[in-house]
Amino acid sequence: MEKLKLTNDFIFKKVFGKKGNESILKDLLEAILKIKIKKIELQTEVELERELIDDKTGVSDIEATIDDNTIIDIEMQMRNQYNMKERSLFYWAGLYYTGLKKKEEYKENKRAITINIVNFDMFKEGPYHEKIELRREYKNILLTNKLEIHFIQLSKFLKEGQEEKDKKMWQWLTFICNKNRKEVERVMKENKEIEKANEELEYLTGDDAVRRIAFLREKAERDYITNMSGAKEEGIEEGIEQGEKNKAMEIAKEMLKEGMKIEKIIKITGLTKEEVEEIVNKKTK
């Protein structure tokens, strides 16, 4: 049985965003942020089902608070939607805004960090891991450390990632990309948290329901790319919209199989009541 891929955003969240897997996420964040984390708390309110379709409402993939003063949003993005800059700023703004409680002063607001692991080249130039901060034009002085955005470009890492430069980051990205079996086996022996992540991945691989959702997620991505390509060649926007609609319809079918209520399916997929009922009617015929 082929092992599930961590580059699948649904599987990434199932491994790193699961309650009980905090030590795995902690080790990954320490590698990315180059810090030691004493305490980590996962935000578990976000519904996994919502991540099965394109998210235009700012719902985060994995959200965690570290050491009580920093909010983290980490996302695996499979394809280039050409909106990652805006998407990251939107996520960051939401994290920063909600970090301030009533009657607290602005200076008490939590630090907010957005991390994007992308499966494409975000920037043509530069290294595979880039950190963006808010700086003054005058002498490039840091304005505040409360804004931080990271882009980790897996496509670039596979071309230029070097173990001796940043071993811990190299270990995690080697495991996530899973392109060299011998290297993956070695990093699992060297890092106990990566070994634990692999055990979780193997467990999920044996779960038929999870495999089905992961398959649908990847199929939806392929269908989207096909529709985007066709629309571009023909010069029409209807193909793009139809690709999104087909993706939502496929997900709705699976939700109906799982016995979910129509009202919840409408809310999650964005389909109309008539469209969902049409799927139900076809199923019962």
Side-chain angles (χ1 to χ4, degrees):
M1 186 182 295
E2 186 180 356
K3 189 183 292 185
L4 295 170
K5 299 176 183 177
L6 279 170
T7 49
N8 181 303
D9 50 0
F10 175 72
I11 298 304
F12 184 83
K13 182 167 185 176
K14 290 286 282 185
V15 172
F16 292 97
K18 178 183 175 182
K19 205 74 173 175
N21 285 356
E22 286 88 348
S23 66
I24 297 174
L25 179 61
K26 174 178 173 289
D27 200 72
L28 175 63
L29 291 176
E30 286 181 341
I32 296 171
L33 303 175
K34 310 294 185 292
I35 60 173
K36 289 298 293 182
I37 298 171
K38 296 178 181 178
K39 179 183 177 183
I40 183 167
E41 183 180 355
L42 273 167
Q43 170 62 261
T44 57
E45 293 178 359
V46 179
E47 291 184 78
L48 280 172
E49 291 91 347
R50 186 63 185 87
E51 302 305 318
L52 296 178
I53 58 175
D54 271 348
D55 173 24
K56 296 179 175 63
T57 61
V59 178
S60 61
D61 280 278
I62 300 173
E63 187 178 319
T65 301
I66 59 174
D67 297 336
D68 295 327
N69 62 4
T70 302
I71 308 172
I72 305 284
D73 168 71
I74 181 167
E75 173 185 11
M76 171 65 72
Q77 185 65 26
M78 299 171 70
R79 60 178 163 83
N80 191 355
Q81 300 183 65
Y82 302 98
N83 65 356
M84 281 305 297
K85 296 174 188 175
E86 295 77 10
R87 185 185 179 104
S88 297
L89 285 170
F90 184 80
Y91 279 1
W92 175 82
L95 290 175
Y96 191 69
Y97 175 77
T98 56
L100 189 66
K101 296 178 181 178
K102 288 184 178 180
K103 297 183 180 180
E104 284 186 336
E105 295 184 22
Y106 288 117
K107 64 182 180 180
E108 297 179 76
N109 207 348
K110 288 182 172 65
R111 189 180 182 204
I113 300 176
T114 299
I115 300 171
N116 306 284
I117 304 177
V118 298
N119 209 15
F120 51 86
D121 285 3
M122 180 70 197
F123 307 110
K124 290 182 179 179
E125 64 287 323
Y128 71 83
H129 179 198
E130 289 207 44
K131 179 173 74 173
I132 291 89
E133 299 172 315
L134 195 59
R135 293 181 174 272
R136 294 170 56 194
E137 184 177 6
Y138 177 73
K139 294 186 178 181
N140 200 36
I141 297 171
L142 184 68
L143 177 66
T144 177
N145 73 338
K146 290 193 174 182
L147 164 63
E148 199 169 297
I149 298 175
H150 291 253
F151 287 100
I152 298 169
Q153 303 159 90
L154 298 182
S155 51
K156 280 189 177 182
F157 168 77
L158 290 171
K159 298 173 188 174
E160 62 189 60
Q162 297 180 35
E163 180 180 0
E164 60 270 18
K165 284 188 176 181
D166 191 338
K167 186 170 183 178
K168 195 169 185 178
M169 174 78 93
W170 180 86
Q171 288 176 333
W172 271 111
L173 297 187
T174 295
F175 174 66
I176 289 171
C177 292
N178 193 26
K179 293 294 183 181
N180 186 311
R181 185 176 177 180
K182 288 184 179 180
E183 288 182 343
V184 170
E185 289 176 351
R186 177 160 72 88
V187 299
M188 284 192 291
K189 291 179 181 178
E190 294 174 346
N191 188 321
K192 291 183 179 179
E193 294 303 328
I194 292 179
E195 186 179 18
K196 285 170 64 176
N198 184 64
E199 290 172 359
E200 183 69 29
L201 194 58
E202 288 184 345
Y203 171 78
L204 292 172
T205 298
D207 188 316
D208 290 340
V210 171
R211 286 184 63 82
R212 178 61 178 164
I213 294 175
F215 168 76
L216 284 173
R217 191 73 179 103
E218 291 183 4
K219 179 179 181 297
E221 295 298 334
R222 291 193 296 270
D223 290 346
Y224 178 89
I225 292 170
T226 300
N227 279 283
M228 283 284 285
S229 176
K232 186 176 180 181
E233 290 175 6
E234 297 174 27
I236 57 173
E237 296 237 350
E238 287 80 1
I240 298 173
E241 294 175 3
Q242 189 59 46
E244 297 294 334
K245 180 63 66 66
N246 290 342
K247 184 193 302 184
M249 297 284 272
E250 285 295 320
I251 293 165
K253 288 177 185 177
E254 291 304 310
M255 289 178 173
L256 284 167
K257 286 181 183 178
E258 295 297 322
M260 288 190 185
K261 294 182 179 179
I262 290 179
E263 292 77 12
K264 187 173 183 181
I265 295 173
I266 293 169
K267 182 179 178 182
I268 291 172
T269 63
L271 295 172
T272 65
K273 184 178 179 181
E274 290 74 18
E275 288 169 334
V276 177
E277 287 177 344
E278 183 181 344
I279 297 172
V280 174
N281 292 333
K282 286 182 179 179
K283 185 181 176 183
T284 54
K285 284 182 180 180

